[in-house]
Amino acid sequence: MTTSSLAEAPIGPPRKSPLGILRNAGWLTGTRLAGDFLSFGLFVVLSRYFGPSGIGQFAYGFAIASFVSIFVGLGLDDFGVREFARLETADSRQLLGKLVVSQLGLLVIVGVALGGFLLATKASPTVAGIIVVLSIQQAVLAIARTFFAPAYAQQAMATPALMEVGCRAAGMLITLALVVLSHASLVVAVVGYPIGALALLAFAIPSGVRRTGGLSLRIAPREALRLVLITWPFGASEMVYLLYTRADLVILTWMRGDATAGIYASSLKFYEVSTLPVFFLGFAAYPALSRLFEERAPRLASAVGRLFLSSLLIAGLIAWGMVFVIPSVLVPLLGDKFSSAGPVVQLMAVFVVLTAVEATATRVLLAVHLQVIKFKLQLASTVLNVVLDLLLIPRFGIMGAIVATAAALVMVDVFYLRALATRLVSAPIITALVAFVVPLLAAFAAGTMATVLSWPQWLAAFGSLGIFLAVALLSGLGALLREALGGQLLGGLPADH
């Protein structure tokens, strides 16, 4: 089946493909990495033109705009993926209309709230302009992803992924041209971002309409409100997640200034881009996990265990790169002013492993209809994160933000795993965790020994990597590869249903 034929297919059972999940994860990760590679290139240019203070303003603006995305999206795209995966065409048409009408109503409310926020915080014209422009982009992207939800539900993820990276690239190229060729100010340059988002929406609307057989916006306000009341745990969880991943950046900006926030934001950028494969592996498996739960399939627990093992092994390799590779390229890429970001990136390697557990558990919790419990647990960990940020950042700065985030991630991981134990057999998950922790400890011991013996950095790097891979093959990776090559991806999880 070609990409174009996938775009025309209506809602219904997707065709089988033995490695569908890996294929979709590859498309999502590859296109997102391509987009983020361009984004990172633009980040480098902005760093050199505007310095840590400018990057601090840019990162702060994105942090606030991300909240706009959450409130406009309200998790409707995640809810839609789960529901479109099991609905017939007629019901899908009604659902798409309800989702879109609900988002348009939320857009009006969020716009008024954003204006109140800018007035209350007395934002400077530059900062306010950046926030408004980036908020428009984030709101439009949220609506576009809702129109793509039917395609994601059918596991036809290549076309939306290609469209998104193409439109993101176009918007960033406009911004790059404004900075380099026209020497525009930061607030003027970022207008490229909403232009790219509007182009994506122009592609997304026909995709959603074709896959559901039409679009009806004649939805009673009561129906839209009812849908919002059903989906609020999805959106609330995303909002809370964003709060505990962005609270540190916002508080650093308020308490330590734009320059300190810029150093932290540059390190955070490497971490966020590096962990994309972990997030997209879980997203690619999400529709199949949802169907297995609906069918009460006995192989669901083993599939979840293999998904955890896959995510953790990928996270281990990413963490290695954060410790040994990324610090060496920071200054050549960003400039001498960012030399202090190297140790920060290395410390954030801990985030990578903790995030792998959190991201995988999130998709499983949504698939088994534990979204309300997920929200409550995430809210508790977010409160911890914000409280620790407020206590530690004024005294310890960036180090305080790192400690606060790590503590929140540990807390949410423990809570999520305990919640999953109530719905699934926990033995496969425990086995996956053990199969990862053993090679991780072995690699850490090897790296520590190399440091004590004063070995060259390259020898310590490749020695720890070799130990990690060798022990991982013995503790579970080998079996995982054999299953993937045999078409039994993730321990019995069907690649497509």
Side-chain angles (χ1 to χ4, degrees), residues 323-346:
V323 172
F324 292 106
V325 179
I326 293 178
S328 63
V329 301
L330 271 171
V331 171
L333 284 174
L334 305 183
D336 294 335
K337 294 180 180 180
F338 291 86
S339 59
S340 59
V344 179
V345 170
Q346 290 178 318

Side-chain angles (χ1 to χ4, degrees), residues 65-373:
S66 297
F67 284 103
V68 171
S69 174
I70 296 300
F71 283 111
V72 173
L74 203 66
L76 294 172
D77 54 341
D78 271 342
F79 173 80
V81 170
R82 192 181 75 184
E83 296 303 302
F84 284 127
R86 64 184 185 84
L87 292 177
E88 297 298 327
T89 301
D91 295 328
S92 297
R93 185 184 307 117
Q94 290 295 319
L95 176 60
L96 182 61
K98 292 178 182 179
L99 293 174
V100 174
V101 170
S102 299
Q103 282 191 309
L104 294 177
L106 290 168
L107 180 61
V108 175
I109 297 172
V110 171
V112 174
L114 179 63
F117 171 81
L118 294 176
L119 290 174
T121 57
K122 299 179 180 179
S124 67
T126 298
V127 172
I130 293 172
I131 291 175
V132 170
V133 173
L134 295 179
S135 294
I136 294 172
Q137 181 226 16
Q138 291 296 303
V140 174
L141 285 178
I143 298 173
R145 286 164 184 156
T146 297
F147 277 103
F148 278 133
Y152 287 130
Q154 197 181 345
Q155 294 182 290
M157 301 179 183
T159 300
L162 288 169
M163 288 179 178
E164 181 160 352
V165 71
C167 293
R168 284 184 63 199
M172 287 185 287
L173 288 174
I174 293 173
T175 295
L176 181 65
L178 288 172
V179 171
V180 177
L181 301 180
S182 301
H183 303 286
S185 65
L186 185 58
V187 66
V188 172
V190 294
V191 298
Y193 280 82
I195 293 174
L198 288 169
L200 181 65
L201 181 62
F203 286 114
I205 292 174
S207 172
V209 171
R210 285 194 299 266
R211 287 184 173 278
T212 57
L215 175 65
S216 174
L217 299 180
R218 295 180 181 178
I219 307 297
R222 183 170 54 185
E223 284 294 312
L225 178 61
R226 179 175 175 272
L227 182 62
V228 169
L229 293 176
I230 293 173
T231 60
W232 74 264
F234 290 84
S237 292
E238 289 186 13
M239 187 265 294
V240 170
Y241 173 78
L242 184 64
L243 182 61
Y244 89 69
T245 58
R246 287 294 182 265
D248 44 9
L249 183 59
V250 173
I251 294 173
L252 273 170
T253 302
W254 289 346
M255 295 186 173
R256 290 301 185 103
D258 293 336
T260 300
I263 295 296
Y264 187 77
S266 63
S267 304
L268 202 63
K269 183 71 172 179
F270 282 97
Y271 152 71
E272 290 175 342
V273 172
S274 298
T275 52
L276 288 176
V278 172
F279 282 102
F280 286 131
L281 180 62
F283 185 81
Y286 178 46
L289 289 172
S290 299
R291 285 193 294 270
L292 285 179
F293 178 74
E294 293 292 333
E295 298 168 358
R296 299 298 188 267
R299 65 185 184 276
L300 176 59
S302 62
V304 169
R306 287 305 192 189
L307 182 59
F308 267 98
L309 180 58
S310 303
S311 298
L312 286 168
L313 289 172
I314 292 172
L317 297 176
I318 294 170
W320 176 85
M322 294 277 287
V323 172
F324 292 106
V325 179
I326 293 178
S328 63
V329 301
L330 271 171
V331 171
L333 284 174
L334 305 183
D336 294 335
K337 294 180 180 180
F338 291 86
S339 59
S340 59
V344 179
V345 170
Q346 290 178 318
L347 289 172
M348 285 185 178
V350 176
F351 294 179
V352 176
V353 176
L354 297 174
T355 297
V357 177
E358 185 271 339
T360 305
T362 290
R363 286 300 163 186
V364 181
L365 286 167
L366 293 179
V368 301
H369 294 214
L370 290 178
Q371 58 266 20
V372 175
I373 293 176

